[in-house]
Amino acid sequence: DKPRRSVVKDDFLIEIARRGATDIATITGMRTAPQNLGEKNAAQIADAVKRGLAVPPADRPVAELLQPLDEQGAVLQEMLNT
């Protein structure tokens, strides 16, 4: 019963997903990783990522397609990704 961003920040979860991080060292070494994450929590996250990656692509949820970004939106997205 905590606010969603008080457990783990969204940018950390996004970085884990983009990298497909499956080991403790990678997860704890991320620039967005909380300082108090700890190895036990990092191991649990790594295990969850491994379970997710083990699901066959055909059985994974399909993301809803969004409208393509206009030029300004694309530039903003590029800036945010760096």
Side-chain angles (χ1 to χ4, degrees), residues 27-72:
I27 292 170
T28 57
M30 291 179 176
R31 63 177 177 78
T32 56
Q35 290 184 358
N36 63 348
L37 180 63
E39 285 194 23
K40 180 180 177 184
N41 291 327
Q44 291 175 339
I45 292 169
D47 289 342
V49 173
K50 288 175 189 173
R51 287 192 309 273
L53 291 173
V55 174
D59 294 340
R60 296 177 189 166
V62 177
E64 187 176 311
L65 296 177
L66 302 174
Q67 293 180 351
L69 296 174
D70 60 11
E71 184 178 344
Q72 195 172 23

